[in-house]
Amino acid sequence: MKVFELIKKVKKIVNWRELRIMITFCPVCSCKRVMIKFDSNAIAVRCLSCRASAVYMSIVSILREVAPEISSLDAYELSSRGPLFRYLITKAKTVTSSEYCPDVASGGFKNGIQIQDVQNLSYADKSFDICTSTEVFEHVPDDTKGFSEILRVLRPNGIFVFTVPLQNAYKTIERTILTANGEIQHLLPPEYHDDPIGESGKILAFRTYGQDIIEKLLNAGFTKAEIVIPEKQIPWGFARQVVVAHR
Ligand SMILES: [Zn+2]
């Protein structure tokens, strides 16, 4: 990236009044690191070494608590890049990863990366001990189907640990639905999130989850589900809620 473009990008994302730097423990790096906050949200809090945002630090922090025996676990992460994927690669027994691509069927490959649609995974039943995802399920049209598929590929006592943007209100707001003939219908003004993988750089959010996500997981067949918040170690208090569901 040319210096001029870099400066332009930095000027666009940095809120100078919020800019802070501190040295503190990074749960992903497992040691003290330089942290930066360039705006007032969890995505804008980063470890300068592993580049994890406060979202990644939160999920890894919870993973350390709920899966201390991770070195003996087969993991499936719904992304083939990023700080969580890199963390799992160094810690878990095996890591299977995938990306989503609308033009490729589950189990196929694109640019050497396995493609999976979480609504229809190609994996056998009971393939993994732990499944993880960050900020994926709000983009899945039929999330009930997706939760059922994660449940299916988990082994007995397996866990699903993930994040989605979660509001404190109870009820999930369905923003967009797919009609019976597969057309997108917006119930509310469409909301898009940044997508570093997709060609457009933006991805549609079908819903904004509320605390009833627990009910959705139990309805899908998980025996227990809870929302947990890392108690410490997340810089400037930007801990994110993490969902832990047990098969
Ligand atoms: Zn780090």
Side-chain angles (χ1 to χ4, degrees):
M1 192 184 285
K2 290 196 180 90
V3 176
F4 177 68
E5 283 172 19
L6 181 69
I7 291 170
K8 232 168 93 175
K9 196 176 169 190
V10 167
K11 271 177 83 171
K12 208 171 133 191
I13 61 169
V14 174
N15 177 351
W16 298 100
R17 287 166 65 170
E18 292 291 338
L19 190 64
R20 302 281 186 283
I21 284 183
M22 74 190 285
I23 296 174
T24 191
F25 183 81
C26 172
V28 183
C29 294
S30 309
C31 60
K32 279 193 173 184
R33 294 295 200 199
V34 179
M35 302 284 175
I36 187 167
K37 175 166 84 75
F38 54 85
D39 206 345
S40 187
N41 62 69
I43 307 289
V45 171
R46 302 287 177 108
C47 167
L48 284 184
S49 296
C50 68
R51 287 169 283 153
S53 68
V55 175
Y56 286 108
M57 289 183 224
S58 298
I59 191 168
V60 169
S61 197
I62 295 300
L63 272 177
R64 287 164 164 272
E65 287 172 30
V66 298
E69 75 294 19
I70 196 154
S71 62
S72 63
L73 302 182
D74 295 314
Y76 172 44
E77 154 62 11
L78 271 81
S79 168
S80 62
R81 47 185 274 162
L84 176 59
F85 170 71
R86 293 195 295 270
Y87 174 82
L88 290 168
I89 285 285
T90 61
K91 303 285 182 192
K93 185 178 156 202
T94 67
V95 181
T96 300
S97 65
S98 66
E99 297 289 346
Y100 173 68
C101 175
D103 320 321
V104 182
S106 282
F109 283 83
K110 188 174 184 180
N111 302 329
I113 293 168
Q114 190 173 68
I115 304 301
Q116 294 286 343
D117 175 351
V118 73
Q119 300 163 115
N120 183 23
L121 295 171
S122 70
Y123 306 121
D125 296 357
K126 301 174 189 170
S127 292
F128 308 106
D129 302 302
I130 184 164
C131 293
T132 55
S133 72
T134 47
E135 319 296 85
V136 169
F137 267 79
E138 70 273 24
H139 305 293
V140 177
D142 188 345
D143 58 339
T144 305
K145 190 96 200 298
F147 291 145
S148 303
E149 277 293 87
I150 295 287
L151 185 75
R152 180 181 69 75
V153 300
L154 275 174
R155 294 183 182 131
N157 301 317
I159 51 172
F160 177 31
V161 184
F162 69 102
T163 67
V164 287
L166 259 180
Q167 53 173 1
N168 287 327
Y170 183 72
K171 195 108 183 81
T172 292
I173 300 166
E174 297 292 340
R175 311 187 63 87
T176 300
I177 54 168
L178 277 191
T179 62
N181 49 8
E183 279 166 12
I184 284 178
Q185 186 188 337
H186 297 296
L187 308 176
L188 289 167
E191 184 178 287
Y192 294 90
H193 298 167
D194 290 338
D195 175 23
I197 304 268
E199 277 163 24
S200 69
K202 295 277 172 198
I203 183 168
L204 179 67
F206 279 80
R207 65 194 68 81
T208 307
Y209 281 107
Q211 303 288 308
D212 63 349
I213 193 167
I214 296 301
E215 207 176 299
K216 292 174 188 290
L217 288 157
L218 296 176
N219 287 342
F222 284 90
T223 57
K224 185 183 152 196
E226 56 186 339
I227 294 167
V228 283
I229 304 173
E231 280 179 10
K232 49 186 180 192
Q233 298 176 351
I234 310 302
W236 295 285
F238 277 92
R240 272 284 296 270
Q241 295 176 319
V242 178
V243 186
V244 181
H246 299 253
R247 187 179 194 270

